[in-house]
């Protein structure tokens, strides 16, 4: 399972840490017990580790929850760092029974390890909450880093001012420390006056650029990032400021052996509603000259699949080969059924003026019903569609024709005329699509299996290669 999840439970926010030649992926364990006799239980940190994002070693729970009345009954998101031979883990403590009528308080908690990422000792005397001026119910996701080896440690948090409009009071608060025990309030890292708050902040340097990564749920449930020339900002929005769409949330990054990986989770769904937590998913970042980040599948994941050429057969009078037909119609081609776990790679040459093209996933043999990955050059975007769509009534016209695609998954994507490559990783109930090793779109297919197909609308697209396996 490339998109890993524990045997009993789901992956919440992931805290990646590179150490000893492995990537250690701490995560919030969402157990979702349906047993009414189990009683309420807190949320612990669990751990898996890997060297290739293909094979995982499950280490189980490594940071257990506190007792019923403890400030860390729930152990929420944080960060892990090494300071010499000692490891430090900072996390959010939460208890629904401790707070005020505005909600439960959140506090920063500390644990240490003598070099073993699976063994931690909590340091309760280092716990602290929000200072005056900040909402005590939102003081979470501590991320600790240094801007240089001889500089003080910095901690940024998802926080809110207590005297600002609710939807615009979010701030990336900042503190400094010289000993990782006592922390002093510093000027905030970022005040966008735009969000409820910015969850899971993550700061790193790459070449001449600094990056601030965060997840937000005001405009959309997405992980975004900002760039700057200095570690203090000003923080600028790059042309493509999102890591992925709705189905890749709370992504945090890790530098491992000179490569930058983003690890998030693909949420489960209940009907049409996305839920919190799901399956672990990974993207590798690449830096473009203007500081913009491009995202693709790690080479190790691609190498785990043995692909073969897919033979396409025309449907409904389409030309024998894509790219040879007229420009004023819809044309489709269908291939063999695909396994539920496979990697699809499509390389195409797109003619100028083409309206749309893409892949039919889990399609019926006639191509009528499918999950549709549609690339739209005229709009420079990639979207996910589904046919049949939902219905509003029994009449022929009572379909969701006014919902052109899954709008929460729409991704901006440069699609000039010429050659493009699309990869789709199908992993059972989860999937990731990547265009040109730049733009990622994670999703959950609605169908478990079916045929693979290709289509083009109002244009011409030559299929240079189509492989799957």
């Amino acid at each position: 399972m490339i998109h890993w999840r524990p045997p009993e439970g789901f992956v919440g926010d992931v805290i990646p840490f590179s150490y000893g030649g492995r990537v250690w992926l701490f995560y919030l364990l969402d157990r979702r017990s349906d047993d009414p006799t189990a009683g309420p239980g807190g949320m612990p940190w669990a751990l898996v580790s890997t060297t290739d994002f293909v094979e995982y070693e499950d280490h189980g729970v490594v940071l257990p929850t506190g007792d019923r009345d403890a400030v860390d009954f729930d152990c929420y998101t944080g960060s892990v760092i090494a300071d010499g031979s000692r490891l430090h883990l900072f996390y959010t403590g939460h208890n629904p029974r401790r707070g005020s009528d505005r909600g439960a308080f959140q506090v920063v908690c500390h644990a240490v390890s003598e070099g073993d990422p699976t063994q931690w000792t909590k340091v309760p005397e280092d716990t602290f909450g929000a200072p005056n001026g900040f909402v005590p119910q939102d003081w979470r996701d501590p991320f600790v880093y240094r801007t240089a080896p001889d500089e003080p440690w910095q901690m940024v948090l998802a926080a809110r001012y207590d005297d600002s409009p609710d939807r615009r009071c979010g701030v990336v608060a900042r503190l400094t420390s010289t000993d990782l025990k006592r922390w002093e309030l510093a000027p905030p890292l970022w005040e966008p006056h735009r969000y409820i708050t910015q969850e899971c902040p993550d700061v790193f340097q790459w070449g001449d650029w600094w990056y601030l990564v965060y997840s937000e749920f005001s405009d959309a449930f997405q992980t975004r990032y900002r760039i700057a020339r200095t570690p203090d900002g000003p923080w600028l929005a790059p042309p493509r400021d999102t890591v992925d769409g709705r189905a890749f949330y709370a992504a945090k990054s890790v530098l491992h052996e000179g490569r930058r990986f983003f690890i998030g989770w693909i949420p489960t769904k209940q009907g049409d509603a996305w839920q919190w937590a799901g399956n672990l998913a990974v993207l590798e970042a690449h830096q473009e000259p203007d500081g913009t980040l491009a995202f693709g599948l790690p080479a190790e994941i691609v190498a785990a699949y043995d692909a073969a050429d897919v033979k396409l057969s025309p449907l409904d009078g389409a030309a024998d080969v894509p790219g040879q037909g007229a420009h004023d119609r819809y044309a489709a081609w269908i291939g063999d059924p695909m396994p539920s776990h496979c990697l699809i790679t499509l390389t195409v040459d797109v003619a100028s003026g083409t309206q749309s093209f893409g892949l039919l996933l889990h399609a019926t043999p006639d191509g009528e019903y499918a999950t549709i990955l549609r690339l739209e050059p005229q709009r420079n975007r990639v979207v996910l569609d589904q046919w049949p769509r939902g219905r509003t009534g029994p009449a022929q016209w009572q379909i969701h024709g006014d919902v052109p695609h899954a709008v929460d998954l729409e991704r901006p994507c440069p699609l000039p005329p010429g050659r493009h490559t699309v990869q789709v990783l199908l992993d059972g109930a989860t999937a990731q699509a990547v265009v040109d090793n730049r733009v990622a779109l994670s999703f959950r297919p609605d169908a478990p299996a079916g045929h693979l197909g290709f289509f083009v609308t109002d244009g011409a697209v030559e299929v240079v290669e189509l492989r799957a396996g």
Side-chain angles (χ1 to χ4, degrees):
M1 181 185 293
I2 299 293
H3 296 153
W4 188 88
R5 53 161 285 200
E8 297 181 2
F10 300 88
V11 174
D13 298 357
V14 180
I15 299 93
F17 176 54
S18 177
Y19 183 73
R22 299 183 70 82
V23 179
W24 303 83
L25 300 171
F26 301 88
Y27 67 94
L28 309 191
L29 175 59
D30 181 10
R31 290 184 267 216
R32 293 190 201 173
S33 175
D34 294 325
D35 181 0
T37 66
M43 179 168 288
W45 278 30
L47 174 65
V48 294
S49 65
T50 185
T51 60
D52 57 9
F53 300 105
V54 176
E55 300 292 337
Y56 292 91
E57 182 179 354
D58 187 356
H59 303 279
V61 171
V62 296
L63 186 73
T65 63
D67 62 31
R68 185 181 185 276
D69 297 318
V71 295
D72 65 346
F73 175 77
D74 292 310
C75 300
Y76 288 159
T77 306
S79 59
V80 178
I81 61 167
D83 184 25
S85 61
R86 174 170 270 203
L87 308 182
H88 295 261
L89 186 157
F90 295 90
Y91 65 104
T92 305
H94 170 270
N95 190 323
R97 289 170 287 275
R98 298 171 69 100
S100 68
D101 56 1
R102 297 178 64 182
F105 296 152
Q106 294 178 338
V107 295
V108 174
C109 301
H110 186 201
V112 296
S113 167
E114 300 307 320
D116 183 350
T118 69
Q119 301 293 325
W120 296 92
T121 301
K122 295 181 180 180
V123 189
E125 61 268 26
D126 291 349
T127 300
F128 65 93
N132 291 336
F134 294 89
V135 175
Q137 289 80 9
D138 282 291
W139 187 251
R140 65 176 181 272
D141 308 342
F143 180 82
V144 175
Y145 64 103
R146 266 178 167 160
T147 59
D150 57 346
E151 291 292 324
W153 293 97
Q154 300 198 36
M155 176 188 291
V156 290
L157 300 110
R160 300 171 66 200
Y161 289 133
D162 64 4
D163 59 353
S164 299
D166 186 70
R167 193 170 54 84
R168 303 195 303 275
C169 65
V171 58
V172 180
R174 178 166 51 172
L175 304 97
T176 61
S177 174
T178 58
D179 60 5
L180 295 172
K181 293 180 68 66
R182 294 174 293 274
W183 294 90
E184 296 183 1
L185 190 65
L189 186 67
W190 192 43
E191 297 176 277
H193 304 288
R194 177 177 175 182
Y195 303 117
I196 296 171
T197 190
Q198 298 80 220
E199 298 189 296
C200 303
D202 179 3
V203 180
F204 61 88
Q205 184 181 16
W206 192 341
D208 295 331
W209 292 99
W210 284 84
Y211 293 83
L212 167 62
V213 182
Y214 61 96
S215 293
E216 58 99 354
F217 48 86
S218 301
D219 297 344
F221 276 86
Q222 287 184 298
T223 301
R224 298 183 185 270
Y225 69 96
R226 294 292 183 265
I227 62 177
R229 289 297 192 180
T230 77
D232 297 318
W235 298 101
L236 309 174
R240 299 186 310 277
D241 73 339
T242 53
V243 175
D244 199 320
R246 174 64 177 90
F248 187 82
Y249 194 66
K252 295 171 75 71
S253 77
V254 63
L255 180 66
H256 180 66
E257 297 183 349
R259 299 159 65 189
R260 177 70 58 176
F261 299 95
F262 279 66
I263 299 95
W265 41 268
I266 299 176
T268 54
K269 295 188 78 172
Q270 187 171 39
D272 291 332
W274 296 101
Q275 297 176 295
W276 190 87
N279 294 65
L280 183 150
V282 181
L283 293 168
E284 183 172 358
H286 309 278
Q287 189 183 53
E288 299 188 345
D290 65 353
T292 301
L293 296 180
F295 297 94
L297 298 173
E300 294 85 346
I301 291 179
V302 174
Y305 294 88
D306 186 14
D309 290 335
V310 176
K311 185 180 184 304
L312 294 173
S313 300
L315 293 173
D316 301 328
D320 290 341
V321 178
Q324 294 182 347
H327 285 225
D328 58 352
R329 56 168 292 175
Y330 172 87
W333 297 259
I334 202 76
D336 291 333
M338 290 293 101
S340 58
H341 298 261
C342 69
L343 178 68
I344 301 164
T345 301
L346 168 71
T347 302
V348 294
D349 268 326
V350 182
S352 178
T354 297
Q355 185 185 78
S356 68
F357 66 97
L359 290 168
L360 305 176
L361 307 171
H362 303 141
T364 52
D366 60 1
E368 179 69 6
Y369 303 121
T371 297
I372 303 161
L373 184 70
R374 187 169 65 242
L375 293 87
E376 302 178 345
Q378 294 181 353
R379 294 182 173 89
N380 282 317
R381 70 183 182 185
V382 56
V383 302
L384 194 78
D385 201 355
Q386 182 75 38
W387 197 267
R389 296 177 182 151
R391 303 191 68 88
T392 60
Q396 187 181 45
W397 53 270
Q398 289 176 312
I399 60 171
H400 284 303
D402 53 349
V403 182
H405 54 265
V407 294
D408 52 352
L409 299 180
E410 178 183 322
R411 305 287 293 125
C413 182
L415 291 167
R419 184 158 294 196
H420 297 279
T421 297
V422 181
Q423 295 170 303
V424 181
L425 172 61
L426 298 178
D427 197 32
T430 55
Q432 288 175 287
V434 172
V435 182
D436 293 333
N437 216 34
R438 300 177 82 191
V439 176
L441 191 163
S442 299
F443 60 99
R444 284 190 175 267
D446 288 341
H451 292 256
L452 174 64
F454 174 79
F455 72 93
V456 60
T457 303
D458 293 328
V461 177
E462 176 189 355
V463 175
V464 178
E465 181 183 63
L466 179 59
R467 296 175 62 84

